[in-house]
Amino acid sequence: MSGTDDLVTYEMRGDVALLGLNRPEKRNAISDRFVEAIHDAVTRASSEAKAGVIHGHGTHFCAGLDLSEHSEKPLFEAVKGSRRWHAVFDAIERGTIPFVSAISGAAVGGGFELAAATAIRVAETNAFFALPEGQRGIFVGGGGSVRIARLIGPARMGDMMLTGRVLDAVTMEAWGGVSYVVETGEAVDRAVELADRMAGNAEFTNYAILNALPRIADMSSEDGLFTESMVASLATMTPEAKQRLKDFLEKRAAKVEAPGG
Ligand code: 1HE
């Protein structure tokens, strides 16, 4: 693990890999070395687990870019650093297994960008979200202009960056930036529960959800519908789909239950 494994703890819970950002004394601020540790852990999880959860040790999820390193960087090094974040976060967003983020405390700047790369965000009531790049004189560089803008809309993202406003978990849920709000101390358990549910899906379907949906969103309607037909047909061809459909038809698979049912 290239000497970086202490920065991200790794544990398996059944089929789910639990990745813990482990630099609490710096509020899990992401240094260059930390990006590589995240990469190593994501690569390991992608080969060993069926789903993953990312959480932060200490009281905060992640304070974003390590500003102490960034201030020293020459221009081209900063560009390469940002591109490395893109590659690592892309492996989270469009890899082979789905990830869930469990957010407590700050999800700020690059911390919010990291959470935005996961398929689902679970936030505790104490969580807060900000994009203080305007105040710091920098710009998002970890994929936020694409991922966060798509989650909450470019106008709201611009509002956060321009004004430095800080949103609580409930407001961020209303804005579409998180999917679940839970009590303090409960995010990891809920995230593992959701990841476990995803781990029970057909692997190819999970892969198609992660990889086809964002690409189809980038396409024209015509191209998107065509691509959808191709992906849908491929999914149906897998032995796993054939078995699961047979199980349903022979009444061995769970039905869809009405909420509260
Ligand atoms: C850091 C960082 C950091 C904390 N880089 N060292 N991100 C920010 O602008 C957020 C800056 N951080 C904060 O606003 C606060 O630290 C928190 C709200 C996250 C947490 O507050 P608190 O009171 O719990 O902790 P603290 O006392 O502020 O910080 C503890 C230590 O962590 C302290 O160092 P110490 O040596 O004085 O103990 C802080 O300096 C250090 N620390 N955050 C470096 N970010 C790919 S582009 C992405 C662009 C961005 O991410 S911009 C947003 C950057």
Side-chain angles (χ1 to χ4, degrees), residues 135-173:
Q135 293 141 278
R136 306 280 178 250
I138 55 176
F139 194 71
V140 283
S145 59
V146 173
R147 295 193 184 97
I148 297 174
R150 282 184 188 164
L151 274 178
I152 65 175
R156 283 170 167 165
M157 183 179 178
D159 179 351
M160 289 180 76
M161 291 184 74
L162 288 166
T163 65
R165 70 190 281 188
V166 181
L167 273 71
D168 63 19
V170 171
T171 309
M172 188 49 84
E173 183 186 31

PDB file of all heavy atoms in Angstrom, residues 135-173:
ATOM      1  N   GLN A 135     -13.296  32.468  -0.522  1.00  0.00           N
ATOM      2  CA  GLN A 135     -12.575  33.133   0.572  1.00  0.00           C
ATOM      3  C   GLN A 135     -11.084  32.811   0.552  1.00  0.00           C
ATOM      4  O   GLN A 135     -10.263  33.621   0.967  1.00  0.00           O
ATOM      5  CB  GLN A 135     -13.140  32.687   1.929  1.00  0.00           C
ATOM      6  CG  GLN A 135     -14.551  33.144   2.179  1.00  0.00           C
ATOM      7  CD  GLN A 135     -15.348  32.055   2.891  1.00  0.00           C
ATOM      8  OE1 GLN A 135     -15.862  31.126   2.281  1.00  0.00           O
ATOM      9  NE2 GLN A 135     -15.442  32.168   4.195  1.00  0.00           N
ATOM     10  N   ARG A 136     -10.744  31.603   0.089  1.00  0.00           N
ATOM     11  CA  ARG A 136      -9.333  31.188   0.089  1.00  0.00           C
ATOM     12  C   ARG A 136      -8.587  31.679  -1.159  1.00  0.00           C
ATOM     13  O   ARG A 136      -7.380  31.486  -1.280  1.00  0.00           O
ATOM     14  CB  ARG A 136      -9.212  29.655   0.147  1.00  0.00           C
ATOM     15  CG  ARG A 136      -9.952  29.008   1.286  1.00  0.00           C
ATOM     16  CD  ARG A 136      -9.226  29.076   2.617  1.00  0.00           C
ATOM     17  NE  ARG A 136     -10.048  28.456   3.656  1.00  0.00           N
ATOM     18  CZ  ARG A 136     -10.635  29.134   4.635  1.00  0.00           C
ATOM     19  NH1 ARG A 136     -10.471  30.438   4.761  1.00  0.00           N
ATOM     20  NH2 ARG A 136     -11.384  28.502   5.528  1.00  0.00           N
ATOM     21  N   GLY A 137      -9.326  32.199  -2.146  1.00  0.00           N
ATOM     22  CA  GLY A 137      -8.678  32.676  -3.374  1.00  0.00           C
ATOM     23  C   GLY A 137      -8.304  31.558  -4.317  1.00  0.00           C
ATOM     24  O   GLY A 137      -7.396  31.715  -5.145  1.00  0.00           O
ATOM     25  N   ILE A 138      -8.991  30.409  -4.179  1.00  0.00           N
ATOM     26  CA  ILE A 138      -8.693  29.295  -5.085  1.00  0.00           C
ATOM     27  C   ILE A 138      -9.980  28.868  -5.792  1.00  0.00           C
ATOM     28  O   ILE A 138     -10.930  29.642  -5.860  1.00  0.00           O
ATOM     29  CB  ILE A 138      -8.010  28.118  -4.326  1.00  0.00           C
ATOM     30  CG1 ILE A 138      -8.860  27.656  -3.135  1.00  0.00           C
ATOM     31  CG2 ILE A 138      -6.624  28.549  -3.860  1.00  0.00           C
ATOM     32  CD1 ILE A 138      -8.303  26.450  -2.403  1.00  0.00           C
ATOM     33  N   PHE A 139     -10.007  27.658  -6.308  1.00  0.00           N
ATOM     34  CA  PHE A 139     -11.185  27.170  -7.036  1.00  0.00           C
ATOM     35  C   PHE A 139     -11.309  25.677  -6.749  1.00  0.00           C
ATOM     36  O   PHE A 139     -10.317  25.046  -6.394  1.00  0.00           O
ATOM     37  CB  PHE A 139     -11.003  27.412  -8.548  1.00  0.00           C
ATOM     38  CG  PHE A 139     -12.263  27.251  -9.356  1.00  0.00           C
ATOM     39  CD1 PHE A 139     -13.294  28.184  -9.262  1.00  0.00           C
ATOM     40  CD2 PHE A 139     -12.419  26.175 -10.213  1.00  0.00           C
ATOM     41  CE1 PHE A 139     -14.466  28.032 -10.003  1.00  0.00           C
ATOM     42  CE2 PHE A 139     -13.586  26.017 -10.971  1.00  0.00           C
ATOM     43  CZ  PHE A 139     -14.609  26.949 -10.861  1.00  0.00           C
ATOM     44  N   VAL A 140     -12.488  25.143  -6.885  1.00  0.00           N
ATOM     45  CA  VAL A 140     -12.622  23.693  -6.723  1.00  0.00           C
ATOM     46  C   VAL A 140     -11.716  22.995  -7.743  1.00  0.00           C
ATOM     47  O   VAL A 140     -11.613  23.437  -8.881  1.00  0.00           O
ATOM     48  CB  VAL A 140     -14.087  23.203  -6.929  1.00  0.00           C
ATOM     49  CG1 VAL A 140     -14.944  23.502  -5.719  1.00  0.00           C
ATOM     50  CG2 VAL A 140     -14.697  23.798  -8.191  1.00  0.00           C
ATOM     51  N   GLY A 141     -11.074  21.900  -7.314  1.00  0.00           N
ATOM     52  CA  GLY A 141     -10.173  21.188  -8.226  1.00  0.00           C
ATOM     53  C   GLY A 141     -10.324  19.683  -8.126  1.00  0.00           C
ATOM     54  O   GLY A 141      -9.588  18.929  -8.758  1.00  0.00           O
ATOM     55  N   GLY A 142     -11.292  19.250  -7.328  1.00  0.00           N
ATOM     56  CA  GLY A 142     -11.469  17.810  -7.130  1.00  0.00           C
ATOM     57  C   GLY A 142     -12.740  17.290  -7.799  1.00  0.00           C
ATOM     58  O   GLY A 142     -13.330  16.324  -7.321  1.00  0.00           O
ATOM     59  N   GLY A 143     -13.136  17.949  -8.882  1.00  0.00           N
ATOM     60  CA  GLY A 143     -14.300  17.465  -9.628  1.00  0.00           C
ATOM     61  C   GLY A 143     -15.612  18.111  -9.221  1.00  0.00           C
ATOM     62  O   GLY A 143     -16.667  17.786  -9.766  1.00  0.00           O
ATOM     63  N   GLY A 144     -15.549  19.059  -8.294  1.00  0.00           N
ATOM     64  CA  GLY A 144     -16.784  19.660  -7.775  1.00  0.00           C
ATOM     65  C   GLY A 144     -17.576  20.424  -8.813  1.00  0.00           C
ATOM     66  O   GLY A 144     -18.813  20.405  -8.784  1.00  0.00           O
ATOM     67  N   SER A 145     -16.875  21.080  -9.740  1.00  0.00           N
ATOM     68  CA  SER A 145     -17.616  21.898 -10.711  1.00  0.00           C
ATOM     69  C   SER A 145     -18.492  21.019 -11.592  1.00  0.00           C
ATOM     70  O   SER A 145     -19.479  21.486 -12.165  1.00  0.00           O
ATOM     71  CB  SER A 145     -16.666  22.760 -11.554  1.00  0.00           C
ATOM     72  OG  SER A 145     -15.760  21.935 -12.256  1.00  0.00           O
ATOM     73  N   VAL A 146     -18.122  19.740 -11.695  1.00  0.00           N
ATOM     74  CA  VAL A 146     -18.970  18.794 -12.435  1.00  0.00           C
ATOM     75  C   VAL A 146     -19.939  18.102 -11.469  1.00  0.00           C
ATOM     76  O   VAL A 146     -21.151  18.172 -11.640  1.00  0.00           O
ATOM     77  CB  VAL A 146     -18.100  17.748 -13.172  1.00  0.00           C
ATOM     78  CG1 VAL A 146     -18.977  16.676 -13.801  1.00  0.00           C
ATOM     79  CG2 VAL A 146     -17.250  18.438 -14.227  1.00  0.00           C
ATOM     80  N   ARG A 147     -19.383  17.456 -10.438  1.00  0.00           N
ATOM     81  CA  ARG A 147     -20.243  16.586  -9.608  1.00  0.00           C
ATOM     82  C   ARG A 147     -21.165  17.372  -8.677  1.00  0.00           C
ATOM     83  O   ARG A 147     -22.351  17.063  -8.577  1.00  0.00           O
ATOM     84  CB  ARG A 147     -19.384  15.625  -8.785  1.00  0.00           C
ATOM     85  CG  ARG A 147     -18.608  14.643  -9.626  1.00  0.00           C
ATOM     86  CD  ARG A 147     -18.033  13.520  -8.795  1.00  0.00           C
ATOM     87  NE  ARG A 147     -17.215  12.677  -9.654  1.00  0.00           N
ATOM     88  CZ  ARG A 147     -15.892  12.791  -9.763  1.00  0.00           C
ATOM     89  NH1 ARG A 147     -15.217  13.683  -9.061  1.00  0.00           N
ATOM     90  NH2 ARG A 147     -15.221  12.008 -10.597  1.00  0.00           N
ATOM     91  N   ILE A 148     -20.626  18.358  -7.982  1.00  0.00           N
ATOM     92  CA  ILE A 148     -21.484  19.112  -7.044  1.00  0.00           C
ATOM     93  C   ILE A 148     -22.496  19.931  -7.835  1.00  0.00           C
ATOM     94  O   ILE A 148     -23.670  20.007  -7.478  1.00  0.00           O
ATOM     95  CB  ILE A 148     -20.636  19.989  -6.097  1.00  0.00           C
ATOM     96  CG1 ILE A 148     -19.742  19.101  -5.225  1.00  0.00           C
ATOM     97  CG2 ILE A 148     -21.534  20.863  -5.219  1.00  0.00           C
ATOM     98  CD1 ILE A 148     -18.753  19.859  -4.346  1.00  0.00           C
ATOM     99  N   ALA A 149     -22.041  20.509  -8.952  1.00  0.00           N
ATOM    100  CA  ALA A 149     -22.965  21.298  -9.777  1.00  0.00           C
ATOM    101  C   ALA A 149     -24.117  20.429 -10.266  1.00  0.00           C
ATOM    102  O   ALA A 149     -25.255  20.879 -10.346  1.00  0.00           O
ATOM    103  CB  ALA A 149     -22.223  21.920 -10.956  1.00  0.00           C
ATOM    104  N   ARG A 150     -23.834  19.162 -10.570  1.00  0.00           N
ATOM    105  CA  ARG A 150     -24.923  18.285 -11.027  1.00  0.00           C
ATOM    106  C   ARG A 150     -25.847  17.878  -9.896  1.00  0.00           C
ATOM    107  O   ARG A 150     -27.044  17.681 -10.114  1.00  0.00           O
ATOM    108  CB  ARG A 150     -24.352  17.048 -11.704  1.00  0.00           C
ATOM    109  CG  ARG A 150     -23.920  17.399 -13.095  1.00  0.00           C
ATOM    110  CD  ARG A 150     -23.446  16.249 -13.872  1.00  0.00           C
ATOM    111  NE  ARG A 150     -22.890  16.802 -15.109  1.00  0.00           N
ATOM    112  CZ  ARG A 150     -22.111  16.173 -15.928  1.00  0.00           C
ATOM    113  NH1 ARG A 150     -21.774  14.932 -15.671  1.00  0.00           N
ATOM    114  NH2 ARG A 150     -21.666  16.762 -17.017  1.00  0.00           N
ATOM    115  N   LEU A 151     -25.276  17.759  -8.709  1.00  0.00           N
ATOM    116  CA  LEU A 151     -26.106  17.346  -7.570  1.00  0.00           C
ATOM    117  C   LEU A 151     -27.066  18.449  -7.145  1.00  0.00           C
ATOM    118  O   LEU A 151     -28.255  18.219  -6.954  1.00  0.00           O
ATOM    119  CB  LEU A 151     -25.218  17.030  -6.363  1.00  0.00           C
ATOM    120  CG  LEU A 151     -24.617  15.642  -6.207  1.00  0.00           C
ATOM    121  CD1 LEU A 151     -23.756  15.617  -4.956  1.00  0.00           C
ATOM    122  CD2 LEU A 151     -25.708  14.583  -6.120  1.00  0.00           C
ATOM    123  N   ILE A 152     -26.531  19.639  -6.953  1.00  0.00           N
ATOM    124  CA  ILE A 152     -27.359  20.701  -6.356  1.00  0.00           C
ATOM    125  C   ILE A 152     -27.695  21.810  -7.352  1.00  0.00           C
ATOM    126  O   ILE A 152     -28.483  22.690  -7.037  1.00  0.00           O
ATOM    127  CB  ILE A 152     -26.677  21.316  -5.100  1.00  0.00           C
ATOM    128  CG1 ILE A 152     -25.375  22.043  -5.439  1.00  0.00           C
ATOM    129  CG2 ILE A 152     -26.432  20.246  -4.035  1.00  0.00           C
ATOM    130  CD1 ILE A 152     -24.746  22.772  -4.243  1.00  0.00           C
ATOM    131  N   GLY A 153     -27.081  21.760  -8.551  1.00  0.00           N
ATOM    132  CA  GLY A 153     -27.295  22.788  -9.564  1.00  0.00           C
ATOM    133  C   GLY A 153     -26.187  23.833  -9.523  1.00  0.00           C
ATOM    134  O   GLY A 153     -25.724  24.196  -8.437  1.00  0.00           O
ATOM    135  N   PRO A 154     -25.755  24.307 -10.693  1.00  0.00           N
ATOM    136  CA  PRO A 154     -24.657  25.276 -10.739  1.00  0.00           C
ATOM    137  C   PRO A 154     -24.972  26.590 -10.020  1.00  0.00           C
ATOM    138  O   PRO A 154     -24.075  27.211  -9.429  1.00  0.00           O
ATOM    139  CB  PRO A 154     -24.407  25.519 -12.236  1.00  0.00           C
ATOM    140  CG  PRO A 154     -25.488  24.805 -12.960  1.00  0.00           C
ATOM    141  CD  PRO A 154     -26.192  23.879 -12.024  1.00  0.00           C
ATOM    142  N   ALA A 155     -26.237  27.011 -10.017  1.00  0.00           N
ATOM    143  CA  ALA A 155     -26.566  28.284  -9.362  1.00  0.00           C
ATOM    144  C   ALA A 155     -26.360  28.177  -7.854  1.00  0.00           C
ATOM    145  O   ALA A 155     -25.789  29.076  -7.217  1.00  0.00           O
ATOM    146  CB  ALA A 155     -28.007  28.686  -9.688  1.00  0.00           C
ATOM    147  N   ARG A 156     -26.807  27.070  -7.274  1.00  0.00           N
ATOM    148  CA  ARG A 156     -26.627  26.888  -5.825  1.00  0.00           C
ATOM    149  C   ARG A 156     -25.154  26.702  -5.481  1.00  0.00           C
ATOM    150  O   ARG A 156     -24.678  27.191  -4.457  1.00  0.00           O
ATOM    151  CB  ARG A 156     -27.434  25.690  -5.334  1.00  0.00           C
ATOM    152  CG  ARG A 156     -28.914  26.015  -5.223  1.00  0.00           C
ATOM    153  CD  ARG A 156     -29.704  24.763  -4.981  1.00  0.00           C
ATOM    154  NE  ARG A 156     -31.059  25.105  -4.567  1.00  0.00           N
ATOM    155  CZ  ARG A 156     -32.066  24.249  -4.565  1.00  0.00           C
ATOM    156  NH1 ARG A 156     -31.879  23.007  -4.943  1.00  0.00           N
ATOM    157  NH2 ARG A 156     -33.258  24.629  -4.173  1.00  0.00           N
ATOM    158  N   MET A 157     -24.448  25.994  -6.338  1.00  0.00           N
ATOM    159  CA  MET A 157     -23.019  25.818  -6.089  1.00  0.00           C
ATOM    160  C   MET A 157     -22.313  27.173  -6.163  1.00  0.00           C
ATOM    161  O   MET A 157     -21.452  27.495  -5.328  1.00  0.00           O
ATOM    162  CB  MET A 157     -22.424  24.849  -7.111  1.00  0.00           C
ATOM    163  CG  MET A 157     -20.963  24.587  -6.841  1.00  0.00           C
ATOM    164  SD  MET A 157     -20.264  23.427  -8.005  1.00  0.00           S
ATOM    165  CE  MET A 157     -18.572  23.445  -7.393  1.00  0.00           C
ATOM    166  N   GLY A 158     -22.693  27.972  -7.154  1.00  0.00           N
ATOM    167  CA  GLY A 158     -22.109  29.313  -7.285  1.00  0.00           C
ATOM    168  C   GLY A 158     -22.409  30.160  -6.060  1.00  0.00           C
ATOM    169  O   GLY A 158     -21.538  30.889  -5.559  1.00  0.00           O
ATOM    170  N   ASP A 159     -23.623  30.046  -5.547  1.00  0.00           N
ATOM    171  CA  ASP A 159     -24.016  30.754  -4.319  1.00  0.00           C
ATOM    172  C   ASP A 159     -23.084  30.343  -3.171  1.00  0.00           C
ATOM    173  O   ASP A 159     -22.514  31.197  -2.471  1.00  0.00           O
ATOM    174  CB  ASP A 159     -25.488  30.395  -4.031  1.00  0.00           C
ATOM    175  CG  ASP A 159     -26.047  31.024  -2.768  1.00  0.00           C
ATOM    176  OD1 ASP A 159     -25.272  31.606  -1.989  1.00  0.00           O
ATOM    177  OD2 ASP A 159     -27.269  30.914  -2.555  1.00  0.00           O
ATOM    178  N   MET A 160     -22.884  29.036  -3.001  1.00  0.00           N
ATOM    179  CA  MET A 160     -22.010  28.561  -1.917  1.00  0.00           C
ATOM    180  C   MET A 160     -20.589  29.100  -2.080  1.00  0.00           C
ATOM    181  O   MET A 160     -19.945  29.519  -1.115  1.00  0.00           O
ATOM    182  CB  MET A 160     -21.967  27.024  -1.880  1.00  0.00           C
ATOM    183  CG  MET A 160     -23.247  26.370  -1.407  1.00  0.00           C
ATOM    184  SD  MET A 160     -23.144  24.562  -1.387  1.00  0.00           S
ATOM    185  CE  MET A 160     -22.145  24.285   0.093  1.00  0.00           C
ATOM    186  N   MET A 161     -20.095  29.095  -3.319  1.00  0.00           N
ATOM    187  CA  MET A 161     -18.701  29.526  -3.541  1.00  0.00           C
ATOM    188  C   MET A 161     -18.555  31.035  -3.406  1.00  0.00           C
ATOM    189  O   MET A 161     -17.559  31.537  -2.883  1.00  0.00           O
ATOM    190  CB  MET A 161     -18.219  29.063  -4.914  1.00  0.00           C
ATOM    191  CG  MET A 161     -18.038  27.565  -5.007  1.00  0.00           C
ATOM    192  SD  MET A 161     -17.366  27.037  -6.594  1.00  0.00           S
ATOM    193  CE  MET A 161     -15.659  27.568  -6.419  1.00  0.00           C
ATOM    194  N   LEU A 162     -19.552  31.757  -3.893  1.00  0.00           N
ATOM    195  CA  LEU A 162     -19.451  33.227  -3.858  1.00  0.00           C
ATOM    196  C   LEU A 162     -19.646  33.786  -2.459  1.00  0.00           C
ATOM    197  O   LEU A 162     -18.946  34.711  -2.041  1.00  0.00           O
ATOM    198  CB  LEU A 162     -20.490  33.843  -4.810  1.00  0.00           C
ATOM    199  CG  LEU A 162     -20.184  33.685  -6.304  1.00  0.00           C
ATOM    200  CD1 LEU A 162     -21.418  34.013  -7.135  1.00  0.00           C
ATOM    201  CD2 LEU A 162     -19.009  34.566  -6.718  1.00  0.00           C
ATOM    202  N   THR A 163     -20.617  33.236  -1.742  1.00  0.00           N
ATOM    203  CA  THR A 163     -20.964  33.819  -0.442  1.00  0.00           C
ATOM    204  C   THR A 163     -20.301  33.108   0.728  1.00  0.00           C
ATOM    205  O   THR A 163     -20.302  33.619   1.846  1.00  0.00           O
ATOM    206  CB  THR A 163     -22.493  33.762  -0.205  1.00  0.00           C
ATOM    207  OG1 THR A 163     -22.888  32.376  -0.125  1.00  0.00           O
ATOM    208  CG2 THR A 163     -23.261  34.444  -1.317  1.00  0.00           C
ATOM    209  N   GLY A 164     -19.778  31.894   0.490  1.00  0.00           N
ATOM    210  CA  GLY A 164     -19.174  31.132   1.583  1.00  0.00           C
ATOM    211  C   GLY A 164     -20.211  30.603   2.572  1.00  0.00           C
ATOM    212  O   GLY A 164     -19.858  30.211   3.689  1.00  0.00           O
ATOM    213  N   ARG A 165     -21.479  30.585   2.156  1.00  0.00           N
ATOM    214  CA  ARG A 165     -22.504  30.132   3.110  1.00  0.00           C
ATOM    215  C   ARG A 165     -22.291  28.673   3.505  1.00  0.00           C
ATOM    216  O   ARG A 165     -21.766  27.877   2.728  1.00  0.00           O
ATOM    217  CB  ARG A 165     -23.913  30.373   2.555  1.00  0.00           C
ATOM    218  CG  ARG A 165     -24.297  29.499   1.413  1.00  0.00           C
ATOM    219  CD  ARG A 165     -25.593  29.950   0.768  1.00  0.00           C
ATOM    220  NE  ARG A 165     -26.782  29.543   1.520  1.00  0.00           N
ATOM    221  CZ  ARG A 165     -28.020  29.682   1.069  1.00  0.00           C
ATOM    222  NH1 ARG A 165     -28.239  30.253  -0.118  1.00  0.00           N
ATOM    223  NH2 ARG A 165     -29.047  29.289   1.776  1.00  0.00           N
ATOM    224  N   VAL A 166     -22.698  28.388   4.723  1.00  0.00           N
ATOM    225  CA  VAL A 166     -22.516  27.043   5.281  1.00  0.00           C
ATOM    226  C   VAL A 166     -23.906  26.428   5.441  1.00  0.00           C
ATOM    227  O   VAL A 166     -24.777  27.024   6.073  1.00  0.00           O
ATOM    228  CB  VAL A 166     -21.798  27.117   6.650  1.00  0.00           C
ATOM    229  CG1 VAL A 166     -21.579  25.713   7.220  1.00  0.00           C
ATOM    230  CG2 VAL A 166     -20.458  27.859   6.511  1.00  0.00           C
ATOM    231  N   LEU A 167     -24.094  25.252   4.864  1.00  0.00           N
ATOM    232  CA  LEU A 167     -25.411  24.612   4.908  1.00  0.00           C
ATOM    233  C   LEU A 167     -25.424  23.457   5.895  1.00  0.00           C
ATOM    234  O   LEU A 167     -24.455  22.690   5.973  1.00  0.00           O
ATOM    235  CB  LEU A 167     -25.765  24.063   3.521  1.00  0.00           C
ATOM    236  CG  LEU A 167     -26.457  25.060   2.588  1.00  0.00           C
ATOM    237  CD1 LEU A 167     -25.475  26.116   2.134  1.00  0.00           C
ATOM    238  CD2 LEU A 167     -27.053  24.350   1.398  1.00  0.00           C
ATOM    239  N   ASP A 168     -26.531  23.337   6.612  1.00  0.00           N
ATOM    240  CA  ASP A 168     -26.663  22.172   7.489  1.00  0.00           C
ATOM    241  C   ASP A 168     -27.177  20.977   6.680  1.00  0.00           C
ATOM    242  O   ASP A 168     -27.524  21.107   5.500  1.00  0.00           O
ATOM    243  CB  ASP A 168     -27.551  22.492   8.699  1.00  0.00           C
ATOM    244  CG  ASP A 168     -28.984  22.828   8.315  1.00  0.00           C
ATOM    245  OD1 ASP A 168     -29.417  22.478   7.198  1.00  0.00           O
ATOM    246  OD2 ASP A 168     -29.682  23.446   9.135  1.00  0.00           O
ATOM    247  N   ALA A 169     -27.217  19.828   7.350  1.00  0.00           N
ATOM    248  CA  ALA A 169     -27.537  18.581   6.644  1.00  0.00           C
ATOM    249  C   ALA A 169     -28.951  18.597   6.065  1.00  0.00           C
ATOM    250  O   ALA A 169     -29.180  18.122   4.953  1.00  0.00           O
ATOM    251  CB  ALA A 169     -27.366  17.397   7.595  1.00  0.00           C
ATOM    252  N   VAL A 170     -29.886  19.170   6.830  1.00  0.00           N
ATOM    253  CA  VAL A 170     -31.279  19.144   6.380  1.00  0.00           C
ATOM    254  C   VAL A 170     -31.449  20.021   5.139  1.00  0.00           C
ATOM    255  O   VAL A 170     -32.116  19.638   4.163  1.00  0.00           O
ATOM    256  CB  VAL A 170     -32.214  19.593   7.535  1.00  0.00           C
ATOM    257  CG1 VAL A 170     -33.639  19.793   7.049  1.00  0.00           C
ATOM    258  CG2 VAL A 170     -32.187  18.546   8.655  1.00  0.00           C
ATOM    259  N   THR A 171     -30.808  21.188   5.131  1.00  0.00           N
ATOM    260  CA  THR A 171     -30.889  22.049   3.947  1.00  0.00           C
ATOM    261  C   THR A 171     -30.205  21.367   2.759  1.00  0.00           C
ATOM    262  O   THR A 171     -30.714  21.392   1.634  1.00  0.00           O
ATOM    263  CB  THR A 171     -30.221  23.411   4.230  1.00  0.00           C
ATOM    264  OG1 THR A 171     -30.757  23.923   5.445  1.00  0.00           O
ATOM    265  CG2 THR A 171     -30.466  24.397   3.106  1.00  0.00           C
ATOM    266  N   MET A 172     -29.065  20.733   3.030  1.00  0.00           N
ATOM    267  CA  MET A 172     -28.377  20.061   1.927  1.00  0.00           C
ATOM    268  C   MET A 172     -29.205  18.900   1.380  1.00  0.00           C
ATOM    269  O   MET A 172     -29.168  18.628   0.178  1.00  0.00           O
ATOM    270  CB  MET A 172     -26.988  19.588   2.395  1.00  0.00           C
ATOM    271  CG  MET A 172     -26.120  19.055   1.274  1.00  0.00           C
ATOM    272  SD  MET A 172     -26.029  20.121  -0.187  1.00  0.00           S
ATOM    273  CE  MET A 172     -24.734  21.262   0.279  1.00  0.00           C
ATOM    274  N   GLU A 173     -29.969  18.272   2.250  1.00  0.00           N
ATOM    275  CA  GLU A 173     -30.860  17.213   1.768  1.00  0.00           C
ATOM    276  C   GLU A 173     -31.926  17.815   0.842  1.00  0.00           C
ATOM    277  O   GLU A 173     -32.213  17.275  -0.239  1.00  0.00           O
ATOM    278  CB  GLU A 173     -31.529  16.504   2.956  1.00  0.00           C
ATOM    279  CG  GLU A 173     -32.408  15.339   2.538  1.00  0.00           C
ATOM    280  CD  GLU A 173     -33.172  14.735   3.714  1.00  0.00           C
ATOM    281  OE1 GLU A 173     -33.505  15.479   4.666  1.00  0.00           O
ATOM    282  OE2 GLU A 173     -33.439  13.532   3.680  1.00  0.00           O
TER     283      GLU A 173
END
